[in-house]
Amino acid sequence: MTGPTVSSPLLSVNSLKVYFPIRKSLFGRSKEWVKAVDDISFTIKEGQTVGLVGESGSGKTTIGRTIVRLQDPTSGSILYEGKPIHNLSQKQFRPYRKKIQMIFQDPHNSLNPRLTIESILREPLDIHFPGMEKKQKKEKIVELLEKVGLSAEHLYRYPHEFSGGQRQRIGIARALAVGPKLIICDEPVSALDVSVQAQIINLLMDLQQEFNLSYLFISHDLAVVEYLSDYVLVLNKGRIVEEGTPEEIYKHPKDAYTKKLIASIPSI
Amino acid sequence: MLLQVEDLHVHFLTQSGEIPALRGVSFSIEKAESVAIVGESGSGKSVTALSLTKLLESPPAIYKKGKILYEGVDLLSLSQKELRKYRGGEIAYVFQEPSTSLNPVYSIGFQLLEAIELHQPHLKDKKSVGLEVLQKVGIVDCQMVWKSYPHELSGGMQQRVMIAMALLCKPKLLVADEPTTALDVTIQAQILELFAKIQKDLAMSVLLITHNFGIVKGFSDRVVVMFRGQVVEEGPTEKVIYSPTHPYTKALIDCVPRLGEKGKRLRAIDYSLIESSLNL
């Protein structure tokens, strides 16, 4: 923990609401809404991991997308280091993309199949560090690959030549390229074998230690969330039904929905 | 004995020559027994499942050696035409991704009727047979689902429809290839429960293919563990989970995340250790 901002949170989400219209009346005013995110508040401190657990349709992905401005909020605010970011234009938000990055669920769909790994990792550097020298960029790319357990020999290969776990590593390297402080991990291990899942979770923990990263870790699997998180929010139909430290939640679940989630975890 | 696989070798023709996918796989399934094959991507578990009724395109697949005895008949020696009797009718499949297994442009009812017409053309009231099977898989509003298109259903519902379709011909063996991998944990629990119930009710044999040891416990009678195209361990589920003999089995069990172990590192698999214990 460094700097003067330790006490104030890195990210704070206040009474966030995201509604989607389903039916429109004659004059274009929406009559009915899907309340995807309904009055959600939470904070993430530097170096902390907050876990968001819930089923499909609980609104967990929408929260992540709203934070990175891929989705407009209906109301509420999102503050990054105390400054509102929810109402910025895409251009105004650009500097924050350096601070907040995202890792997606499906590593097959989130990497451009026609680009080599080098180009995939070069893109964020070209956009956010236009002044960086070519040679320097190359060194940075190799360094990133090594950080995530790959090496320079992978530079000129295409995404399809990699396994699911390796592709997720590339996705993580891409997120790390711009030196973010917060990474939104949207179901980063759900599409992977349990054995590979273990490797990726370990990698995320190591990187967090090394770079003092904060994570918003989104998953439907409470057992996975619990491994990484300092604080867990349980989401159901757009609302937080329970929150607390992972120990509190799995030892003394209060809400019926949380109990159901815990009961569903395959265990040995 | 319902099914016996003996020393099955399956190779694939690739640009860099013949690659062995299965190197002598043997296991058996009794009537009304539930067996799970556990292994990682590339271990050959899906190739094993698909080989049972020769569903792999050949070439590139080559059935090199071995026997697949189903009620005494060697399925590997049968022609494609003869196999048709077994596919769906005797051995039915449920696959991982229900959204890609269903045809997006036809209603659920149409797709169920198609399967009934193909396998049981003599049936009179085909629609009621279809509705009945939807009910059997726990779909309450059958009429509604009958008229729906795949995209209107959730992943869990789509998988229920796939199971319904597999059950239509009352198969003796249901092969479920990663049936819950694409689903949320809560839905996964429901679908596994459904499999267990159907298996009991219909006295059917089930072959579950999975990468997750967590879902095997409480579901399968026996477990077959596969690694690089070989069976490395086989035995009753409880015995394999609580006293695994092979280091790979142990490693695979260890990497399942457990509640109450926050902050600990997950135990990833050390492949060099396992490879040295195998003669590959």
Side-chain angles (χ1 to χ4, degrees), chain A residues 71-126:
Chain A
Q71 170 68 50
D72 284 325
T74 307
S75 70
S77 66
I78 301 168
L79 308 178
Y80 181 83
E81 288 183 333
K83 294 187 200 84
I85 54 167
H86 58 278
N87 48 9
L88 299 180
S89 69
Q90 291 298 332
K91 201 178 164 194
Q92 288 169 318
F93 188 72
R94 192 169 276 182
Y96 290 96
R97 296 211 183 275
K98 235 161 135 177
K99 310 277 184 200
I100 310 174
Q101 278 287 312
M102 195 152 177
I103 303 171
F104 298 93
Q105 168 171 5
D106 192 341
H108 305 249
N109 294 334
S110 55
L111 300 176
N112 188 335
R114 300 172 66 167
L115 294 184
T116 60
I117 303 314
E118 196 210 9
S119 321
I120 288 173
L121 296 178
R122 184 185 292 278
E123 238 174 11
L125 296 177
D126 285 343

Side-chain angles (χ1 to χ4, degrees), chain B residues 2 95 166:
Chain B
L2 183 70
F95 295 103

Side-chain angles (χ1 to χ4, degrees), chain A residues 15-204:
Chain A
S15 335
L16 183 70
K17 289 181 188 172
V18 184
Y19 293 178
F20 294 103
I22 24 179
R23 247 193 14 210
K24 288 198 170 147
S25 72
L26 192 59
F27 303 107
R29 289 285 291 269
S30 194
K31 282 182 180 168
E32 284 175 46
W33 303 86
V34 176
K35 298 180 177 179
V37 179
D38 200 9
D39 202 8
I40 300 281
S41 303
F42 64 93
T43 59
I44 305 177
K45 294 196 193 89
E46 212 175 291
Q48 198 191 30
T49 302
V50 171
L52 268 183
V53 205
E55 287 175 283
S56 311
S58 62
K60 53 192 198 304
T61 296
T62 306
I63 294 176
R65 287 173 56 87
T66 309
I67 293 171
V68 293
R69 296 292 291 132
L70 290 173
Q71 170 68 50
D72 284 325
T74 307
S75 70
S77 66
I78 301 168
L79 308 178
Y80 181 83
E81 288 183 333
K83 294 187 200 84
I85 54 167
H86 58 278
N87 48 9
L88 299 180
S89 69
Q90 291 298 332
K91 201 178 164 194
Q92 288 169 318
F93 188 72
R94 192 169 276 182
Y96 290 96
R97 296 211 183 275
K98 235 161 135 177
K99 310 277 184 200
I100 310 174
Q101 278 287 312
M102 195 152 177
I103 303 171
F104 298 93
Q105 168 171 5
D106 192 341
H108 305 249
N109 294 334
S110 55
L111 300 176
N112 188 335
R114 300 172 66 167
L115 294 184
T116 60
I117 303 314
E118 196 210 9
S119 321
I120 288 173
L121 296 178
R122 184 185 292 278
E123 238 174 11
L125 296 177
D126 285 343
I127 293 167
H128 291 287
F129 301 94
M132 200 189 255
E133 267 177 62
K134 227 178 169 184
K135 198 172 153 244
Q136 218 181 337
K137 276 183 192 161
K138 181 85 174 267
E139 281 168 10
K140 174 88 180 160
I141 291 168
V142 173
E143 188 193 316
L144 283 167
L145 279 177
E146 282 167 358
K147 281 274 179 279
V148 298
L150 298 168
S151 63
E153 62 170 301
H154 297 114
L155 275 177
Y156 303 109
R157 297 204 195 157
Y158 288 89
H160 74 268
E161 297 176 67
F162 293 89
S163 68
Q166 286 174 320
R167 269 183 266 202
Q168 199 56 289
R169 286 174 194 271
I170 296 163
I172 294 171
R174 181 178 58 184
L176 285 178
V178 294
K181 284 183 145 177
L182 172 66
I183 300 182
I184 316 266
C185 311
D186 189 1
E187 303 260 19
V189 296
S190 313
L192 307 174
D193 271 17
V194 275
S195 49
V196 182
Q197 174 176 304
Q199 297 168 11
I200 298 295
I201 290 176
N202 287 343
L203 174 66
L204 287 173

